[in-house]
Amino acid sequence: MASYISEDLRSGALVYHRLPKPGKLEIQATKPLGNQRDLALAYTPGVAAACEAIAADPLQAAELTIRANLVGVVSNGTAVLGLGNIGPLAGKPVMEGKAVLFKKFAGIDVFDIEIDAETVERMVEVISALEPTFGGINLEDIKAPECFEVEKRLRERMKIPVFHDDQHGTAIIVGAAVRNALEIGNRKIADLKIVTSGAGAAALACLNLLVTLGAKRENIWVTDIDGVVYEGRNTLMDPYKEIYAQKTDKRTLDEVIDGAHIFLGLSAGGVLKPEMVKKMADKPLILALANPSPEIMPEEARAARPDAMICTGRSDFPNQVNNVLCFPYIFRGALDVGATDINAEMKMAAVEAIAALARETPSDVVARAYGGETRAFGPESLIPSPFDPRLILRIAPAVAKAAMATGVATRPIKSFEAYEDQLDYFVFRSGFIMRPLFARAKQSMKRVIYAEGEDERVLRAVQAVVEEGIAKPIVVGRPSVVESRIKRFGLSIKPGTSFEIINPEDDPRYRDFVRTYMDVAGRRGVTPDAARTLVRTHPTVIAALAVHRGEADAMLCGIEGRFTRHLRQVRDIIGLAPGVKELAAMSLLITPKGNFFICDTQIQTEPSAADLAEMTVLAAAHVRRFGLEPRIALLSHSNFGSHETLSAKRVRMAVELLRERAPMLEVDGEMQADAALVEDIRKRSLPNSRLEGAANVLVMPDLDAADIAYNMIKVLGDALPVGPILMGTAKPAHILGPSVTARGIVNMTAVAVAEAQVEA
C-alpha cells in the first residue's frame, strides 16, 4: 500500500485529514437564515413554490436548486490510485480530494458517493437512481473491464453527463500531446506505429481516442503484464482489449518497440529500457505516465534518444499529463449548457482547445510564475502549464459550443462574451495563488535559513521543503536538540544531508560572524562584548549575518519573541534596499472571495504620503511574483474627496505621488473599502476611476486600520494568511510571528525563494 510514501508524509497526511475537522469537505448554506421569514422562504411553507415550479417544468431545477452545478463523484473503491481494490470506505479520502479539485479549479460543487457494489448490474442500478440529484456523474477508481460497461450502460440510461475520468481525462491530455507532437514532427497520425505498456482503463481509452483522431488499429501494439496482446491469447483478456489484438508471434515489449513513433506507458516504473528507446523511430513521443516512477526516467530517455519528446505524470518534469488539466473544465462547460452527455465531439473539442493553448504565446501570468522564463511551444512544451489561467477560458467554452452544436445542450449559452467574463471572474477568485511561487522555487532552489531551527513547526516545514524541492534549508539550532526533536516528531530529514545546520554554541565561523556584526552595526550601539553575546544567543542575528555574508540567500525568523526586536536586528544587519527610505510589511489573505494583499500590517504607525507611495510600489513588485497584476486601492474613510481630514489628504497626496513615480500602475484612491472591492459602488462615486474591477491590493492609511482589517478578514472571511512579507530589505528577510503554522512557514519559504531569485 503506497510504499513510496515516507513515514513523515504519511503522518502529516493523517494529521491534515484529521484536524481541525475530520475530512476535507463541509456543506455551507448559500442563503441567509437569519430570521423567521428566511426560514419560511427556505423551508416550509415557501419551499413549496420551488417544488411546484419544478414539477411543472423540470428545467426550473437548474435555476431553483444546486443541481446544475452539482456533480456526483462515484466510486466502488475497486481500483483506488495505486492501492488497488481497497473498498469504498477506504477510497473515500480520494473522492473527497477529487471533490476539492472540482471546487477549487472550476467552482463545481460535489457530493462524493462511495457505493458498496462490485457487479456491473448493481453499480448501474445504484448510480442511475441518483440522476435527480446531480447535473453530472464523475465515475472514479472503478476497475477494468467493469468500468467500461458501467459507463456505457449509464450513458444509455441517464440524461446527464457520465464521465469516467480515469479513462477519458487521461486520454484527452494524451490526445493533446499527440496532436502537438504530430505538428512538431510534421507527421500524420495514420502513419504512426503506437506501442503501449499497460492495457487498463486509461490506456484503452487513450487508444480509442487516438483512433478517433485517425490512428489505424493495425498500427497499434498493446502489451500488458502478460506480454503482447495477440490473437488467440486466453489470459487476462476482455472484449475491450481484444479489439487491439495483433496477429503475431511476437510476445514482449522489446520485440514490438522497433520503429515505434509513440510509446504510451500506463503500467509500472522501469519497464521501458534505454536500449528499447534506441530502436524507436525518429523524434519519438514517449508518454511514460506511471506514477511516481515512470516507465523510463526522462534523463534516461533523453540520453538514449536526444530527439525524443517526453511526457510523464510527474510535476517535476516538463509535459506533465495530469487529468486536472481537463476534467474540471470539461464538466464546467457541460454543466453550464445543461448537457445530457459528454460525447465524442465534446472530448475532441477539449483535445483541440488544450493543444491550441500550448501553441499560444505563454501568458504573462505563466511567465511571472516561472520567473520570466517560459517554454515556447516545442518538444518540452506540448501541454499547457497547469498554472495557465486560460485553461478554463479555453476548454469550458469549447466544450459548451460542442455540446450546443451536437444537440445535447438543454440550456444553450446566449452570449459567450458574457460567459467568458463569468469564467474570468472565477479565475480571480481561485485559491491557488501559491502555485506559481512553488513552481518557480523548484526551478532554481535557493538557500533559506530558519532562525528558530529547534521549533517543531520549523522542522516540519523543513521536511516539507525538502520533499517538495523548493529550497535548500539551513537551520540555526543546537545539533543535539534538533536531532532529538526530529526523532520525537517522526521526521526523516537528516542534519548535514537534508539540510545544513549552524550551531550557535560551536560554529567555526563564530569570530567571522562577530567581525561582520561589528562592521555593520558597530555604529548603531552594538559593542564588541554585545556582538559576541548576540552571535551566541540570538538566532535572528546569526541568520541575518549569514544572509548578509552571502552564506544564505534568504531568511525566515520571528516565531519566538516580539516582531520589533527581530525587525531591529534585520534592519541593522541586512539593511534597506537602495533607494528605500523605510521598511513596510504586507500580508496576503486567501479568501473564498479572492486573494487580497493588505499593507502596512506591521511597521509604519502613521505613514506619510511619501511612505504610502513607496510601500505601494514595493507591494506591486511582490504581487507580480504571485503571477497577478496588482490592482491597488489606497483606502480611507473618505471617498474621492468627500472628507478633508488630515488622513484623507495624506492618502490623496500619496495617489498624486504615484501618478508621477509609477504612472503605469493601476492604482486609485482615496476611497472607502466597499468602493475598492465593488466596481459598481466605485463608479457611482467616480465613473472615471483608473481602477477596474475589484482591487487586490489594499493600502491602509495607518497601522491601526491595517491590523484591524487584516485580523477581521482573517477570522470572519475564513481566510488563509500568508506573511507578513517584509518589503524594502536589501536581501530577502521575513519576520513571521508566533502564530505561524508549519504550512505558513512553507508558504513563506516559497515567497522568500521567489524574491531571492530576482535578487540573484
Side-chain angles (χ1 to χ4, degrees):
M1 260 184 73
S3 58
Y4 55 87
I5 297 179
S6 63
E7 282 306 313
D8 48 273
L9 182 59
R10 186 185 301 278
S11 66
L14 292 174
V15 170
Y16 175 87
H17 282 80
R18 186 174 289 126
L19 300 173
K21 294 180 180 179
K24 298 187 284 281
L25 300 170
E26 66 178 5
I27 295 176
Q28 290 187 342
T30 60
K31 303 292 169 61
L33 288 171
N35 55 41
Q36 185 61 36
R37 179 164 177 79
D38 289 343
L39 186 59
L41 292 171
Y43 199 50
T44 182
V47 73
C51 295
E52 289 169 344
I54 296 170
D57 178 10
L59 291 180
Q60 287 292 304
E63 297 181 16
L64 298 173
T65 75
I66 194 178
R67 184 175 187 260
N69 195 54
L70 186 62
V71 167
V73 172
V74 184
S75 177
N76 68 349
T78 53
V80 179
L81 298 177
L83 306 177
N85 187 353
I86 61 174
L89 184 59
K92 187 174 179 63
V94 178
M95 305 314 127
E96 287 188 357
K98 193 69 177 282
V100 170
L101 295 179
F102 266 110
K103 186 65 175 180
K104 286 292 185 181
F105 280 98
I108 295 170
D109 294 304
V110 165
F111 290 158
D112 63 291
I113 308 290
E114 294 76 34
I115 59 175
D116 186 7
E118 292 208 10
T119 67
V120 169
E121 290 73 16
R122 176 69 170 155
M123 281 187 277
V124 170
E125 284 300 319
V126 171
I127 297 169
S128 63
L130 298 172
E131 183 170 346
T133 301
F134 297 108
I137 296 290
N138 184 94
L139 301 176
E140 191 77 12
D141 292 350
I142 300 171
K143 70 182 179 71
E146 288 89 340
C147 60
F148 301 114
E149 187 65 21
V150 168
E151 186 192 47
K152 176 177 178 292
R153 292 195 196 180
L154 289 173
R155 290 183 63 193
E156 293 169 351
R157 189 164 173 172
M158 301 177 77
K159 293 182 175 61
I160 58 174
V162 178
F163 187 82
H164 186 204
D165 182 48
D166 296 331
Q167 295 180 54
H168 307 299
T170 303
I172 287 166
I173 307 302
V174 166
V178 170
R179 172 78 175 75
N180 283 338
L182 291 172
E183 181 158 325
I184 291 172
N186 193 27
R187 286 172 169 150
K188 295 181 179 179
I189 194 168
D191 301 330
L192 302 189
K193 179 179 179 180
I194 302 169
V195 175
T196 79
S197 174
L204 294 176
C206 289
L207 294 179
N208 292 341
L209 188 139
L210 294 179
V211 169
T212 302
L213 281 170
K216 301 296 184 184
R217 292 184 188 274
E218 58 267 27
N219 294 339
I220 296 174
W221 296 75
V222 176
T223 69
D224 60 12
I225 195 171
D226 229 25
V228 173
V229 174
Y230 61 90
E231 290 184 6
R233 198 179 98 171
N234 297 318
T235 56
L236 296 178
M237 293 297 290
D238 59 65
Y240 305 97
K241 194 185 299 185
E242 187 73 40
I243 295 171
Y244 295 102
Q246 290 276 15
K247 188 174 183 179
T248 179
D249 58 359
K250 296 177 180 178
R251 296 293 183 265
T252 67
L253 174 62
D254 186 43
E255 291 178 284
V256 298
I257 197 71
D258 188 36
H261 300 91
I262 297 174
F263 169 80
L264 172 61
L266 284 152
S267 55
V271 301
L272 183 66
K273 307 301 181 185
E275 52 270 25
M276 298 180 190
V277 175
K278 291 179 181 179
K279 296 194 291 185
M280 295 180 71
D282 292 339
K283 297 181 181 177
L285 173 62
I286 298 172
L287 296 145
L289 308 183
N291 244 334
S293 300
E295 283 79 4
I296 186 169
M297 293 299 291
E299 58 269 24
E300 291 182 290
R302 185 78 63 204
R305 290 296 299 272
D307 61 336
M309 293 173 278
I310 306 166
C311 301
T312 71
R314 290 174 44 154
S315 61
D316 51 346
F317 294 111
N319 293 323
Q320 184 193 15
V321 175
N322 188 333
N323 292 4
V324 81
L325 278 166
C326 71
F327 75 79
Y329 315 125
I330 289 172
F331 268 98
R332 182 72 279 158
L335 292 173
D336 289 339
V337 294
T340 58
D341 188 19
I342 295 177
N343 57 31
E345 291 83 358
M346 294 161 74
K347 295 170 194 171
M348 291 305 301
V351 169
E352 291 300 328
I354 295 166
L357 181 55
R359 298 194 295 270
E360 290 185 34
T361 302
S363 74
D364 58 341
V365 173
V366 177
R368 286 196 293 269
Y370 287 98
E373 299 180 5
T374 55
R375 298 184 181 93
F377 173 61
E380 292 196 348
S381 187
L382 299 172
I383 304 169
S385 162
F387 306 113
D388 198 320
R390 296 173 297 180
L391 281 165
I392 191 170
L393 300 175
R394 298 291 188 275
I395 299 172
V399 170
K401 289 176 182 177
M404 291 164 58
T406 54
V408 298
T410 61
R411 298 190 309 277
I413 291 171
K414 296 178 181 178
S415 169
F416 272 91
E417 182 178 353
Y419 178 54
E420 288 169 6
D421 284 344
Q422 293 174 11
L423 296 176
D424 195 45
Y425 178 67
F426 171 76
V427 171
F428 163 70
R429 294 193 298 114
S430 171
F432 281 94
I433 190 173
M434 293 302 301
R435 290 181 300 165
L437 269 73
F438 276 84
R440 183 171 171 180
K442 291 178 181 180
Q443 289 195 337
S444 177
M445 290 192 294
K446 297 296 180 181
R447 299 163 299 172
V448 177
I449 186 166
Y450 303 84
E452 293 92 351
E454 297 177 3
D455 189 280
E456 176 183 358
R457 293 165 292 175
V458 169
L459 293 174
R460 290 194 180 278
V462 168
Q463 178 73 55
V465 165
V466 170
E467 287 184 345
E468 293 290 326
I470 61 173
K472 299 174 182 177
I474 305 169
V475 304
V476 178
R478 294 162 292 176
S480 59
V481 175
V482 170
E483 289 177 12
S484 67
R485 292 184 179 177
I486 286 174
K487 185 177 181 180
R488 185 199 308 170
F489 305 143
L491 305 177
S492 63
I493 48 175
K494 293 180 173 57
T497 303
S498 308
F499 61 91
E500 183 184 337
I501 189 166
I502 294 179
N503 181 2
E505 295 180 342
D506 183 22
D507 190 279
R509 295 165 291 186
Y510 170 71
R511 294 182 184 278
D512 294 334
F513 273 44
V514 171
R515 278 194 293 269
T516 300
Y517 196 15
M518 286 302 303
D519 289 343
V520 298
R523 294 182 180 272
R524 295 190 181 94
V526 178
T527 65
D529 285 342
R532 284 189 287 269
T533 300
L534 289 169
V535 173
R536 285 283 192 213
T537 59
H538 280 247
T540 296
V541 169
I542 298 170
L545 287 168
V547 173
H548 178 82
R549 289 164 53 87
E551 295 174 16
D553 302 304
M555 67 171 285
L556 299 180
C557 64
I559 293 175
E560 300 172 2
R562 292 189 175 186
F563 185 96
T564 51
R565 188 196 75 182
H566 295 283
L567 181 65
R568 183 171 60 252
Q569 292 166 343
V570 168
R571 184 189 275 119
D572 286 351
I573 298 169
I574 292 181
L576 277 63
V580 174
K581 295 182 179 179
E582 180 57 280
L583 299 178
M586 175 174 68
S587 295
L588 164 63
L589 289 170
I590 302 172
T591 82
K593 292 193 173 182
N595 309 299
F596 301 99
F597 297 85
I598 300 177
C599 56
D600 173 5
T601 53
Q602 297 288 341
I603 299 172
Q604 299 188 37
T605 307
E606 193 169 303
S608 67
D611 293 333
L612 289 170
E614 180 178 76
M615 75 171 67
T616 300
V617 173
L618 292 172
H622 276 279
V623 170
R624 289 192 178 101
R625 293 191 191 113
F626 286 83
L628 297 174
E629 191 59 37
R631 296 189 297 276
I632 308 168
L634 274 69
L635 300 189
S636 170
H637 71 286
S638 175
N639 218 22
F640 302 112
S642 64
H643 291 77
E644 292 296 326
T645 59
L646 290 176
S647 65
K649 290 179 180 179
R650 191 169 67 246
V651 174
R652 200 177 307 155
M653 187 180 299
V655 175
E656 293 174 3
L657 292 173
L658 286 166
R659 296 275 190 268
E660 299 172 3
R661 180 174 176 180
M664 300 306 292
L665 273 184
E666 187 178 341
V667 58
D668 212 339
E670 84 283 11
M671 69 179 78
Q672 295 172 352
D674 58 351
L677 299 174
V678 182
E679 187 172 36
D680 288 345
I681 295 175
R682 184 166 64 251
K683 284 184 175 179
R684 286 199 292 270
S685 299
L686 190 70
N688 61 344
S689 171
R690 291 188 58 176
L691 182 63
E692 294 184 3
N696 55 17
V697 182
L698 307 175
V699 180
M700 300 293 175
D702 56 43
L703 183 60
D704 283 345
D707 186 72
I708 292 168
Y710 168 75
N711 283 293
M712 285 185 68
I713 297 171
K714 182 173 67 173
V715 175
L716 298 179
D718 192 24
L720 172 66
V722 178
I725 299 168
L726 191 60
M727 304 186 296
T729 54
K731 293 185 178 182
H734 300 286
I735 306 167
L736 304 182
S739 64
V740 71
T741 63
R743 180 186 185 189
I745 297 170
V746 174
N747 282 337
M748 282 304 299
T749 299
V751 171
V753 171
E755 187 179 356
Q757 289 171 340
V758 175
E759 297 291 330

